[in-house]
Amino acid sequence: MIEFLDDDNAISSDEKASFTFEVIDKRRNTTQPWSPLDVFTNRGYVSRFLDWNIFPYGENNNLPLAIRNIVYANSIVPGILNKKTGLNWGKGPKLYEETFDADGNLIRKWTKDNVIEKWLASWNSDRFLLKGTVDFSHIESYYAKFIFKKGWRLGDSPFIHRLEHIQSYRPMVVGKRQTPTHILMENKDNPNNYEIYPLQRTDEDLVKGSQTVMYTNLPSFCSDFFSIPQILGSIPWIVQSTNVPKFLEALSKNSINIKYHITSPAEFWTQKRDELKIQCSDKNIPYDEKMLKALKRKMLRDIQRVLSSLENAGKFWHSEQVMFVEGMNIIEMGWKITPIDTKMSDTVDAQIKIANKADQSAATGVGVGSSLGNTSDTGKASGGSEQYYALNNYYQTGIDIPEMVIMDPVNFAIKTNWPDSNLKLGFHRSEPQRQEDMTSSDRNKVADFKAN
């Protein structure tokens, strides 16, 4: 039986000759390895839609969906990102005013304002901010739509009636020239129509009688508009971590000992794809990627037949070589069949070590760290003191900028609606406490909370 784990990896199970198969992409073996950052381009815009220049967020403008699919296929990363959301959220959004104490220290004076709080409750601001916080945990940005009070069209001062969260996969950032100026969104009820909104950045961008959209984000180095998600560099590790359970499941299900590891160059299959397309064109039939997968399966069966019998001493398997031109050099690339040690325990231990390393790298990559993400190399939760210092350090250095970005649309709206007010919205949180600094009753409360 041949089981494909994905497009580039497979496991062949046979009583006498089982092997793993991998397609090697040459980009991963050069001095400039493949990187998730390849989805970004140095050009401002890469295509046009109607009379707009499109500024895509990743390849085909689908980076948020690609990250979603990779993250939720993993067993640990969604939990780490949820923990990051909880750390940022704290006790939730509350109004405050900044002031200085007697020693000149900047402090927050948490307060209440019935008028502003009634306005916030009218459009469920907590729900809006929770969605924005989740988006920020994944891609360090989100979109907010401003809906203005209708009286503004009649000459009243600008008043933002409510804010609406926009799912990050929906907007298409566009502009007439080299700078993004508008958002295009497909109408859900009528996909052939697009809604157009001006980008909201400053007071000068307020367009009378129009709805606007703000893109609030953590600025990235050498990126003019979009945030480059922090998780992007951890994606290869996340994918590696996700593949380990698939590999172990296949081993367990088939009860096989892998005897060979077979690799083939990606260029080989690129040529085969081109040949199949030519054949389909000659036969006047549409090409389907399933044809290439069927060819892979056939060639793996040929290898299996050669390797599976004790009487095959005089038999051999041959595959054509691929000539690859790189600069002034011509490189010959071909298949490789490598015998491997069949010690199952060593194979399983190696995969588990890969998974542990991948989990730690993922936690560090999203900005939580192994202590708060509970991804230590031993697989056990970190000690209480270690978690306390990690949490305290996170609150001291990792919270202010994310809060500023997440709260930006709401605080902009508050300042627009009540220009004389000094109040802002921020996340209220309790200071972390060590167990020895807590009374026994407080420790029991924490234990009861965790148990529930």
Side-chain angles (χ1 to χ4, degrees):
M1 184 183 72
I2 297 174
E3 179 180 356
F4 280 88
L5 302 181
D6 52 44
D7 289 340
D8 295 330
N9 294 274
I11 290 181
S12 171
S13 59
D14 184 87
E15 292 182 358
K16 299 176 181 177
S18 300
F19 59 85
T20 57
F21 167 71
E22 179 182 9
V23 177
I24 301 296
D25 190 338
K26 184 178 182 297
R27 292 182 298 174
R28 302 176 189 173
N29 295 329
T30 63
T31 55
Q32 295 180 340
W34 175 86
S35 165
L37 291 176
D38 290 343
V39 300
F40 287 92
T41 175
N42 292 329
R43 292 179 292 169
Y45 68 90
V46 297
S47 59
R48 288 182 62 82
F49 178 78
L50 301 178
D51 57 344
W52 297 96
N53 296 327
I54 298 176
F55 302 83
Y57 193 28
E59 244 175 351
N60 300 320
N61 200 44
N62 68 347
L63 185 60
L65 289 177
I67 290 178
R68 181 202 65 183
N69 295 341
I70 291 172
V71 164
Y72 286 98
N74 191 266
S75 62
I76 191 172
V77 176
I80 295 174
L81 290 171
N82 284 341
K83 183 165 291 187
K84 183 178 181 179
T85 298
L87 290 172
N88 289 336
W89 186 262
K91 298 292 184 181
K94 306 295 179 185
L95 289 170
Y96 72 92
E97 183 178 4
E98 287 183 332
T99 185
F100 293 92
D101 63 13
D103 297 325
N105 297 314
L106 181 65
I107 60 172
R108 289 183 174 183
K109 182 181 178 182
W110 299 97
T111 186
K112 296 181 71 67
D113 186 293
N114 292 333
V115 175
I116 296 178
E117 288 177 348
K118 183 179 179 180
W119 170 75
L120 291 170
S122 69
W123 50 275
N124 199 350
S125 62
D126 283 3
R127 183 67 176 174
F128 166 85
L129 286 170
L130 180 57
K131 291 180 179 179
T133 305
V134 170
D135 282 2
F136 185 89
S137 296
H138 289 75
I139 57 174
E140 286 83 55
S141 62
Y142 73 98
Y143 293 90
K145 181 164 70 172
F146 294 98
I147 299 176
F148 294 91
K149 186 178 179 181
K150 293 182 179 179
W152 187 24
R153 300 176 182 177
L154 303 177
D156 293 348
S157 59
F159 188 91
I160 298 172
H161 179 59
R162 70 180 188 273
L163 277 70
E164 289 185 2
H165 173 269
I166 300 174
Q167 289 290 354
S168 57
Y169 70 88
R170 292 191 62 204
M172 183 187 300
V173 180
V174 298
K176 294 291 186 179
R177 297 184 179 178
Q178 300 291 329
T179 304
T181 57
H182 289 74
I183 297 291
L184 268 74
M185 285 197 299
E186 185 180 80
N187 189 304
K188 288 184 176 181
D189 297 325
N190 189 354
N192 293 324
N193 291 339
Y194 281 80
E195 302 166 353
I196 302 175
Y197 301 98
L199 273 174
Q200 176 70 51
R201 292 179 175 176
T202 65
D203 293 339
E204 298 176 356
D205 295 327
L206 292 174
V207 180
K208 198 167 187 176
S210 297
Q211 298 177 2
T212 60
V213 170
M214 175 182 284
Y215 176 68
T216 178
N217 68 304
L218 182 69
S220 295
F221 178 66
C222 287
S223 180
D224 293 332
F225 183 80
F226 292 110
S227 286
I228 299 177
Q230 187 175 351
I231 198 174
L232 211 56
S234 299
I235 282 180
W237 281 112
I238 295 173
V239 173
Q240 189 82 330
S241 173
T242 303
N243 285 337
V244 169
K246 297 179 184 178
F247 178 81
L248 296 179
E249 179 187 8
L251 289 181
S252 176
K253 181 171 65 176
N254 298 305
S255 298
I256 61 174
N257 288 324
I258 302 298
K259 297 181 179 180
Y260 304 95
H261 180 64
I262 298 175
T263 61
S264 66
E267 288 77 9
F268 176 88
W269 298 109
T270 299
Q271 290 188 12
K272 290 299 179 184
R273 181 185 288 108
D274 293 340
E275 292 174 8
L276 288 173
K277 288 182 178 179
I278 293 174
Q279 292 175 15
C280 289
S281 178
D282 293 340
K283 296 178 182 179
N284 198 25
I285 59 175
Y287 168 77
D288 193 319
E289 194 67 16
K290 293 179 181 178
M291 298 176 181
L292 182 64
K293 193 166 186 177
L295 179 61
K296 286 183 182 180
R297 193 180 297 275
K298 176 182 179 302
M299 296 191 72
L300 294 182
R301 286 201 184 103
D302 291 342
I303 299 174
Q304 191 178 56
R305 282 194 293 269
V306 171
L307 300 178
S308 62
S309 176
L310 293 177
E311 290 77 27
N312 278 340
K315 295 183 179 180
F316 65 91
W317 180 83
H318 171 73
S319 174
E320 61 204 81
Q321 300 288 90
V322 176
M323 308 303 291
F324 181 79
V325 180
E326 183 176 28
M328 300 296 293
N329 300 319
I330 299 178
I331 302 173
E332 188 177 50
M333 307 174 68
W335 290 56
K336 292 182 181 180
I337 302 179
T338 306
I340 60 176
D341 195 338
T342 56
K343 294 180 180 178
M344 183 63 68
S345 61
D346 292 345
T347 302
V348 173
D349 288 344
Q351 293 296 323
I352 291 175
K353 288 180 180 179
I354 291 173
N356 289 338
K357 175 61 178 176
D359 293 343
Q360 294 176 55
S361 298
T364 303
V366 300
V368 174
S370 57
S371 296
L372 296 178
N374 287 337
T375 55
S376 64
D377 54 359
T378 62
K380 300 179 180 178
S382 302
S385 61
E386 187 177 351
Q387 291 193 31
Y388 164 77
Y389 287 113
L391 179 59
N392 187 62
N393 182 65
Y394 185 84
Y395 279 165
Q396 292 295 325
T397 62
I399 210 76
D400 291 336
I401 295 178
E403 180 188 284
M404 179 186 70
V405 174
I406 294 169
M407 292 294 178
D408 191 24
V410 181
N411 285 330
F412 176 85
I414 291 175
K415 197 63 179 177
T416 299
N417 292 351
W418 296 276
D420 296 330
S421 175
N422 293 322
L423 295 183
K424 293 181 179 181
L425 206 62
F427 289 127
H428 190 287
R429 59 185 58 84
S430 302
E431 292 295 325
Q433 288 183 289
R434 294 175 298 182
Q435 289 288 312
E436 56 264 34
D437 297 332
M438 302 170 64
T439 64
S440 58
S441 59
D442 289 336
R443 285 195 291 270
N444 290 334
K445 290 179 182 178
V446 173
D448 293 338
F449 175 77
K450 291 182 177 179
N452 294 328

